Amino acid sequence: MPDPILDIRDLTITARRRLILDRVSLQARRGQVLGIIGPSGVGKSTLLRAINRMLELQPGYRVKGEIRFHGHDIHDADVDPDTLRQRIGMIFQQPVVFPTTIAKNVLFGAARLRRLGKSERAALLDSSLREAALWHEVKDRLHDSALRLSIGQQQRLCLARALALDPEVILMDEPTSALDPKATEAIEERILAMKATRCVVLVTHNLDQARRVTDWVACLCADNGHGELRFSSFPRDGRASAMLSETSCWASSTPSSLRLFSSVSGGRRRLGRIAILSACSAG
Amino acid sequence: MKKALQLLSALTTGSAAAGVLLLAGALAFVLITRGSAAISPAFLTQETREAGASGGILWQIAGTLILVATAALVALPFATALGITRAWLLPPQSRPARVLGFILQLLNAVPSILLGILGLILFTGMLGWGKSWLAGGVLLGIMIVPTAAVMLANRIESLPRGQLDAAAGLGLRRGHIIRSIILPQSAAALLSGMLLGLARAAGETAPILFVAAVFSGATIPTGIHEQPVLALPYHIFVLAQDSFQEASRTNLWGAALVLVTLVSLPALAAIPMRHKLHNAADHA
Ligand SMILES: Nc1ncnc2c1ncn2[C@@H]1O[C@H](COP(=O)(O)OP(=O)(O)OP(=O)(O)O)[C@@H](O)[C@H]1O
Ligand SMILES: [Mg+2]
């Protein structure tokens, strides 16, 4: 097995004295999709934001333990967080497009971080949009406002924007939870295509999605009021399926997240539950 | 009970609005009825004669424009830097951010006559500028900074968090984020703050009284040292104090009318521009 690109060791995160994640250790390799699942509020987003040091943009967080990127701790003094974020891209739950044209959105990072000639711009636009499977839909309106794209297209635009920086790692925080099934399928297909050259870390609530696209899955649980790694395994492994379906992991979520069950993400949650039940009966 | 409260609040709001409208209307009425007799092309293009009893206010208009333009140029970079620092560079709600907010409030509360005296000590005395347009412009600029900085900071705080996160997630540096996200989307607020401040500063007499304005004998400055200007508010101030002639009275109101028009024109012009800027930004 190749050396891990990301090697997380005993990562402990506190926010204003409150323990959020306790000694989480994980590895992610090139050519691999690492899935992270767990109940709402367990600290999945916090974990992702620690990996590209976005966490430190907000006050109050303390991070202990190591996150090694190619063997180097990202918290070392000689690591520049901005450069790190260029190499570790991030896709958010809600697509965020900038109020400008499609082309300018794709090159939003790249054009500011490097000097790009005219032909380089065109080539980068082409390759990024193709890798995000958006090229054919937008090639005739590159200079239209990106705000007119559908949500699913906007999410792929965000992907293209991140890909334009040619990152080695892509962190995705529930990238499909705002999307319909067709748009979700498009993103999942992109994840599978991207992993040939990159390493993907995918946070998802959808167990079926985890089974479909991940190569290794880590389950975080909040049994003791803070996030801990419950187990990690092959997602399609029989034992893992049973574990994934083990409802205690979901049921032990914090009260605030239980409320979420029935409100905002109710629909999504129910889908998750049905997946659990069907897995149970299948096992 | 609830109905009564609603009625009460509607009545208060209504009467407050009516009061403000009435006041503004009365002011406009007085200004126009008393001042319009003085207004003529000659009044706007000639220099003052007979200590304000005849002639025009050309150099007072020019002087006020010079002071206001200087103030704007001085205030803009500081207001921008302080607003961005308060709202974004310093962690939100942190102690340094709150301290800076407090300092801006304090600065806003400094009486303008005090600024004038400080200017007298610093520019006229220590720097040896004598009476100079630059000293007046800088002092007026200082007056504008808190208004503009606070309006900018409030707008930045209300910007969608997601865009700032997304930009940071691309590895963009602070300077990039300021130029490509923060400034374009909050420029309209900065502009509003600047105009609001400028409109007030243009009419101020106290800060320019000792350091920049004279009543007569100045035109366009050609340097810094001992280069005062004439200014509309100072002109009005002197005429109001010293003139007992009917003609001077009329010219006083004429000058006031010109001053009010001068400061409200850019504010009016900015309304459609602000609208456009905000529309573009809020589509995010
Ligand atoms: N600044 C903070 N101060 C205190 N607690 C915080 C702070 N930020 C996050 N938390 C807490 O940390 C926990 C983890 O939050 P996080 O957003 O990472 O969860 P998540 O697993 O991504 O949840 P979801 O599935 O709903 O997105 C939550 O319980 C949250 O309340
Ligand atoms: Mg989350």
Side-chain angles (χ1 to χ4, degrees):
Chain A
M1 224 184 250
D3 278 348
I5 291 188
L6 279 175
D7 188 357
I8 300 171
R9 295 183 188 173
D10 288 329
L11 185 70
T12 299
I13 300 178
T14 49
R16 304 190 193 287
R17 301 232 176 80
R18 205 193 125 197
L19 186 59
I20 295 182
L21 280 179
D22 189 22
R23 281 166 297 159
V24 171
S25 296
L26 281 174
Q27 275 103 44
R29 294 181 164 76
R30 185 185 296 281
Q32 191 192 50
V33 180
L34 169 66
I36 297 177
I37 60 171
S40 186
V42 77
K44 304 182 295 296
S45 300
T46 309
L47 172 62
L48 279 199
R49 295 168 72 90
I51 296 176
N52 68 351
R53 289 184 61 180
M54 294 259 302
L55 217 50
E56 67 199 48
L57 296 177
Q58 282 161 348
Y61 290 99
R62 290 212 21 223
V63 177
K64 276 195 303 193
E66 290 180 357
I67 301 178
R68 291 178 170 273
F69 180 48
H70 289 295
H72 276 72
D73 193 343
I74 62 166
H75 299 106
D76 281 352
D78 61 345
V79 175
D80 170 44
D82 292 320
T83 313
L84 182 77
R85 289 180 204 126
Q86 293 164 33
R87 298 176 66 187
I88 304 184
M90 184 144 187
I91 304 293
F92 302 87
Q93 185 168 355
Q94 291 287 336
V96 181
V97 304
F98 299 115
T100 175
T101 65
I102 293 171
K104 286 199 173 135
N105 258 282
V106 175
L107 300 176
F108 203 89
R112 284 173 176 79
L113 296 166
R114 289 183 264 147
R115 233 171 243 301
L116 291 177
K118 209 172 170 177
S119 59
E120 276 174 298
R121 281 169 178 266
L124 194 55
L125 204 55
D126 184 291
S127 65
S128 314
L129 283 169
R130 275 183 208 278
E131 192 177 350
L134 193 59
W135 175 252
H136 291 290
E137 287 155 74
V138 302
K139 64 173 187 287
D140 300 320
R141 45 180 177 139
L142 290 173
H143 303 290
D144 286 5
S145 168
L147 299 164
R148 281 204 283 274
L149 295 175
S150 75
I151 296 293
Q153 288 171 326
Q154 287 189 9
Q155 191 63 303
R156 276 177 288 149
L157 183 66
C158 293
L159 187 58
R161 189 171 66 199
L163 290 173
L165 299 173
D166 196 20
E168 287 159 84
V169 180
I170 298 204
L171 310 172
M172 303 180 106
D173 192 354
E174 303 184 43
T176 60
S177 64
L179 308 185
D180 64 36
K182 202 157 165 276
T184 299
E185 207 183 304
I187 294 281
E188 287 182 7
E189 188 235 333
R190 284 301 92 201
I191 295 174
L192 290 172
M194 275 187 316
K195 78 173 185 182
T197 50
R198 307 176 202 280
C199 161
V200 180
V201 182
L202 172 74
V203 166
T204 178
H205 265 124
N206 183 331
L207 295 179
D208 281 333
Q209 183 170 69
R211 288 199 186 90
R212 281 194 298 269
V213 301
T214 65
D215 299 294
W216 190 257
V217 61
C219 179
L220 298 177
C221 295
D223 290 333
N224 306 313
H226 54 257
E228 286 172 322
L229 187 65
R230 166 63 68 88
F231 67 87
S232 61
S233 75
F234 288 110
R236 286 168 294 275
D237 175 294
R239 196 177 62 104
S241 270
M243 300 261 284
L244 274 180
S245 316
E246 191 191 305
T247 43
S248 78
C249 181
W250 302 94
S252 64
S253 47
T254 52
S256 68
S257 60
L258 280 176
R259 249 178 281 125
L260 261 180
F261 263 75
S262 50
S263 57
V264 188
S265 52
R268 179 159 42 100
R269 283 295 182 178
R270 263 192 300 283
L271 283 178
R273 286 248 156 146
I274 291 166
I276 294 166
L277 293 178
S278 62
C280 272
S281 53
Chain B
M1 187 61 202
K2 218 170 151 189
K3 274 256 163 68
L5 269 180
Q6 270 174 2
L7 191 70
L8 192 70
S9 81
L11 271 178
T12 354
T13 329
S15 52
V20 169
L21 274 179
L22 208 70
L23 195 68
L27 265 173
F29 179 75
V30 172
L31 270 178
I32 291 170
T33 49
R34 302 219 178 164
S36 56
I39 306 288
S40 68
F43 188 65
L44 300 177
T45 55
Q46 285 179 6
E47 55 180 41
T48 311
R49 280 191 298 273
E50 297 173 53
S54 73
I57 51 168
L58 172 65
W59 298 118
Q60 283 84 352
I61 296 176
T64 289
L65 290 179
I66 288 168
L67 288 175
V68 168
T70 312
L73 286 179
V74 169
L76 189 63
F78 287 99
T80 312
L82 287 170
I84 293 175
T85 307
R86 205 327 293 279
W88 191 64
L89 290 179
L90 296 175
Q93 315 300 326
S94 66
R95 184 185 299 260
R98 284 204 305 263
V99 168
L100 182 55
F102 180 70
I103 291 175
L104 286 174
Q105 263 179 21
L106 216 63
L107 192 59
N108 197 33
V110 172
S112 53
I113 187 74
L114 203 65
L115 272 183
I117 294 170
L118 286 177
L120 184 69
I121 297 171
L122 182 67
F123 300 122
T124 316
M126 287 166 70
L127 293 179
W129 288 358
K131 272 204 172 188
S132 169
W133 60 277
L134 187 57
V138 171
L139 289 184
L140 293 180
I142 293 174
M143 286 188 59
I144 301 170
V145 165
T147 316
V150 167
M151 284 191 75
L152 175 65
N154 289 345
R155 169 73 184 172
I156 293 174
E157 275 178 342
S158 71
L159 285 183
R161 183 80 229 163
Q163 290 205 17
L164 298 172
D165 266 2
L170 289 171
L172 292 181
R173 294 181 194 285
R174 286 173 166 194
H176 288 133
I177 297 179
I178 289 172
R179 265 176 284 141
S180 54
I181 310 234
I182 292 184
L183 279 182
Q185 298 197 37
S186 52
L190 180 61
L191 183 74
S192 303
M194 287 290 296
L195 286 174
L196 212 64
L198 280 175
R200 204 166 57 104
E204 279 283 346
T205 315
I208 58 174
L209 192 60
F210 311 122
V211 301
V214 288
F215 182 67
S216 64
T219 54
I220 301 285
T222 52
I224 295 176
H225 180 70
E226 288 297 350
Q227 295 281 334
V229 285
L230 309 185
L232 286 169
Y234 187 59
H235 189 67
I236 295 168
F237 172 69
V238 174
L239 287 191
Q241 246 182 357
D242 300 339
S243 81
F244 303 98
Q245 297 177 28
E246 192 51 40
S248 302
R249 291 267 147 183
T250 311
N251 284 349
L252 181 162
W253 286 106
L257 183 57
V258 170
L259 178 59
V260 169
T261 315
L262 271 186
V263 299
S264 43
L265 272 185
L268 285 179
I271 289 175
M273 182 161 51
R274 246 154 53 191
H275 197 68
K276 222 174 96 185
L277 275 171
H278 265 165
N279 263 356
D282 285 341
H283 265 295

